[in-house]
Amino acid sequence: MAKLSVNINKIATLRNSRGGNNPDLVKVALDCERFGAEGITVHPRPDERHIRYQDVFDLKTAISTEFNIEGNCREQKFIDLVLANKPAQVTLVPDTEGQITSNHGWDTIKHQAYLKEMVQLFQKEGIRVSIFTDPVREIIEAAQTTGTDRIELYTEFYAANYSKDPLKAITPYTQAAHTANKLGLGINAGHDLDLHNLKYFADNIPNLLEVSIGHALISDALYLGLENTIQLYLKQL
């Protein structure tokens, strides 16, 4: 069964909107673990508009499940943060400055040499590396040459098209998964996965290891409660 890592960025956004520490980000992370989440994901950005860099230090000392830090390794501040905290996993995402949310994977062909350097940097410190990628065979093949441990499939195309034609939506991801499996790459996935489309995705991706879900899960929790929501997501997996 794929692991569920809860992205708590939106909790930080809510806290920051009023200042202070309500909701308490660390308490929410610990509650997510208590309710069954098998990992906690954060994606700090340079302007700290949701996750603050200090949050990463606070979470690292508090949580007991897998800690996944996502972000743009072109920012030295991000590299320093990851190396200082040594999470279980770092997910390399090619964000641009001021980007609202991630909207594409790495061009692992064009940036192959650079990504290889970054992968080695983090692996040397015992940190598992995942590269955010689109579901394209050539991109995944090039990712493998960097030495990365895993890829994270960017699932926005799947989520946007699932309700119209599930088979058409899943096909590039199934093909991408077969490529990754052949190359010995671990497979993570994330972006716009929710209670409606998650089960079909998980059922059709061979050897899916982990999904990272934030916006949809936190939105569902407003109506369903956090504990119940996490249990419902786990059931889809």
Side-chain angles (χ1 to χ4, degrees):
M1 185 180 95
K3 289 183 177 180
L4 172 66
S5 185
V6 177
N7 184 318
I8 56 173
N9 278 22
K10 285 299 184 294
I11 300 297
T13 301
L14 180 60
R15 175 201 61 188
N16 294 354
S17 68
R18 282 290 290 268
N21 194 40
N22 186 23
D24 184 323
L25 193 75
V26 172
K27 182 179 184 308
V28 171
L30 293 174
D31 285 338
C32 287
E33 292 183 321
R34 187 163 57 88
F35 298 151
E38 296 139 310
I40 299 296
T41 291
V42 294
H43 189 148
R45 288 185 164 87
D47 59 7
E48 298 185 272
R49 64 181 180 271
H50 35 65
I51 296 296
R52 298 170 183 151
Y53 278 55
Q54 183 58 46
D55 291 332
V56 177
F57 289 92
D58 296 341
L59 289 162
K60 179 63 169 66
T61 60
I63 66 175
S64 57
T65 59
E66 180 179 289
F67 194 24
N68 173 43
I69 305 177
E70 299 181 343
N72 187 356
C73 52
R74 291 199 181 281
E75 299 154 4
Q76 186 59 45
K77 190 177 176 185
F78 175 80
I79 293 175
D80 294 342
L81 181 72
V82 173
L83 293 178
N85 284 277
K86 293 186 172 60
Q89 177 174 271
V90 60
T91 301
L92 309 183
V93 183
D95 284 343
T96 56
E97 192 173 342
Q99 196 165 316
I100 294 174
T101 186
S102 305
N103 62 10
H104 64 283
W106 279 96
D107 182 340
T108 55
I109 300 168
K110 180 179 178 182
H111 301 293
Q112 192 170 140
Y114 169 73
L115 288 169
K116 186 174 184 178
E117 179 187 336
M118 289 297 102
V119 167
Q120 290 175 347
L121 175 70
F122 293 120
Q123 287 178 339
K124 199 189 302 181
E125 298 299 320
I127 304 167
R128 185 173 73 234
V129 180
S130 179
I131 294 178
F132 199 59
T133 64
D134 297 306
V136 177
R137 179 177 56 82
E138 294 82 3
I139 291 293
I140 293 167
E141 289 172 343
Q144 190 268 343
T145 68
T146 69
T148 190
D149 302 288
R150 297 186 184 183
I151 55 167
E152 179 174 333
L153 293 172
Y154 170 52
T155 50
E156 194 273 337
F157 173 85
Y158 166 75
N161 292 280
Y162 169 76
S163 60
K164 305 171 208 167
D165 188 338
L167 180 59
K168 184 177 179 182
I170 197 68
T171 295
Y173 294 90
T174 304
Q175 293 171 345
H178 285 305
T179 299
N181 286 329
K182 259 196 297 187
L183 295 170
L185 289 171
I187 303 170
N188 298 341
H191 201 88
D192 288 347
L193 295 173
D194 60 26
L195 286 175
H196 305 290
N197 61 39
L198 179 58
K199 185 178 189 310
Y200 187 79
F201 185 85
D203 286 348
N204 285 279
I205 301 301
N207 301 316
L208 178 65
L209 297 174
E210 176 183 300
V211 294
S212 172
I213 304 178
H215 183 82
L217 189 151
I218 301 303
S219 297
D220 288 333
L222 294 174
Y223 288 92
L224 304 171
L226 186 58
E227 180 174 9
N228 186 38
T229 298
I230 288 174
Q231 289 300 309
L232 288 170
Y233 273 86
L234 288 170
K235 195 176 290 186
Q236 306 311 306
L237 294 169

